[in-house]
């Protein structure tokens, strides 16, 4: 019943049975992650290795953000808005525990296997679509903290406006990712009427 309800949020017309089967199989796959990562009482092990309690949101894991920020998470903001707010709050909490937004979080660890920090994209997209069941002010504080780190070419990016290839690997890609991340942060700053940076 729960799967029927979730898959029934999108109703397609036309096409063959095989095409519909392919569509709904793909839709099913979009709903497999992120996964709940807390006990029934809300307790979970955070990115700092300590046990915390999720208050007012469900704690999730498996945020392969570089793979999902372009299409999966924007889709989930439309078909799973309540969960998308929980995803946003979860990422804020992970940043508070870890000291920055994770790049590719798995089981309360950051695999660091991609570039950029696209939690900011997920959060700004959710807010732009009217999802507000998370703390936007806290999200912005963590966005700013992550953007101001002096690692992975971020210091050079802030001072030069780009990541030079002799300072950091994947320099062109990082420059593009950071520019997009900055734009996402700017949208949240605008929503909060923050003009101090």
């Amino acid at each position: 019943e729960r799967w029927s309800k979730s898959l029934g949020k999108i109703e397609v017309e036309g096409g063959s049975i095989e095409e519909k089967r392919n569509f709904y199989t793909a839709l099913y796959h979009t709903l497999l992650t992120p996964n709940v990562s807390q006990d029934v009482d809300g307790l979970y092990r955070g990115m700092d290795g300590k046990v915390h309690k999720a208050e007012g949101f469900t704690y999730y894991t498996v945020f392969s953000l570089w793979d999902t920020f372009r299409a999966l998470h924007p889709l989930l903001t439309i078909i799973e808005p309540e969960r998308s707010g929980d995803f946003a709050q979860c990422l804020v909490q992970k940043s508070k525990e870890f000291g920055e937004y994770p790049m590719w979080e798995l089981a309360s660890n950051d695999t660091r296997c991609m570039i950029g920090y696209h939690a900011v994209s997920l959060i700004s997209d959710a807010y732009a679509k009217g999802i507000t069941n998370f703390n936007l002010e806290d999200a912005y504080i963590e966005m700013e903290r992550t953007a101001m780190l002096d690692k992975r070419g971020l210091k050079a990016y802030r001072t030069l406006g780009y990541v030079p290839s002799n300072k950091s690997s994947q320099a062109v890609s990082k420059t593009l990712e950071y520019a997009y991340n900055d734009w996402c942060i700017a949208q949240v700053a605008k929503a909060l009427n923050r003009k101090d940076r």
Side-chain angles (χ1 to χ4, degrees):
E1 281 181 26
R2 291 176 73 181
W3 275 113
S4 290
K5 183 178 178 184
S6 290
L7 296 173
K9 290 180 179 181
I10 297 178
E11 188 174 322
V12 295
E13 296 178 1
S16 67
I17 294 295
E18 184 178 346
E19 289 169 329
K20 287 181 180 176
R21 186 177 297 123
N22 286 343
F23 175 83
Y24 284 107
T25 299
L27 182 59
Y28 165 79
H29 288 149
T30 69
L31 299 170
L32 293 177
T33 59
N35 307 126
V36 173
S37 184
Q38 67 179 43
D39 210 336
V40 293
D41 58 2
L43 294 177
Y44 67 91
R45 185 165 307 279
M47 292 192 76
D48 56 4
K50 299 176 183 170
V51 175
H52 301 272
K53 185 168 186 168
E55 302 276 1
F57 70 100
T58 301
Y59 192 80
Y60 287 88
T61 190
V62 189
F63 287 94
S64 62
L65 295 166
W66 192 86
D67 303 307
T68 62
F69 81 94
R70 297 171 190 87
L72 175 64
H73 280 289
L75 171 66
L76 293 177
T77 60
I78 296 167
I79 64 173
E80 295 284 332
E82 173 99 7
R83 283 184 38 190
S84 292
D86 281 353
F87 299 158
Q89 189 59 48
C90 228
L91 288 165
V92 171
Q93 186 62 32
K94 289 175 188 297
S95 184
K96 288 179 178 182
E97 295 162 5
F98 186 56
E100 64 183 283
Y101 280 115
M103 290 178 173
W104 205 123
E105 183 274 347
L106 175 64
S108 290
N109 294 285
D110 197 346
T111 65
R112 291 274 178 228
C113 61
M114 294 295 175
I115 59 174
Y117 45 93
H118 296 299
V120 300
S121 174
L122 181 152
I123 293 166
S124 63
D125 181 53
Y127 185 79
K129 290 179 180 162
I131 296 169
T132 58
N133 61 324
F134 64 94
N135 188 316
L136 189 64
E137 183 68 43
D138 283 356
Y140 177 75
I141 290 167
E142 296 304 316
M143 289 175 177
E144 190 174 42
R145 177 166 62 159
T146 300
M148 300 307 280
L149 293 171
D150 288 341
K151 53 186 174 181
R152 296 184 301 278
L154 277 166
K155 185 175 183 178
Y157 169 77
R158 280 195 317 278
T159 55
L160 301 171
Y162 67 96
V163 179
S165 61
N166 65 340
K167 299 288 183 190
S168 186
S169 65
Q170 303 164 308
V172 173
S173 295
K174 283 180 179 174
T175 299
L176 291 170
E177 304 283 334
Y178 294 156
Y180 173 65
N181 294 152
D182 278 353
W183 183 85
C184 292
I185 295 169
Q187 302 318 299
V188 173
K190 191 185 299 183
L192 292 170
N193 202 28
R194 296 287 296 267
K195 299 176 182 175
D196 50 327
R197 288 213 184 247

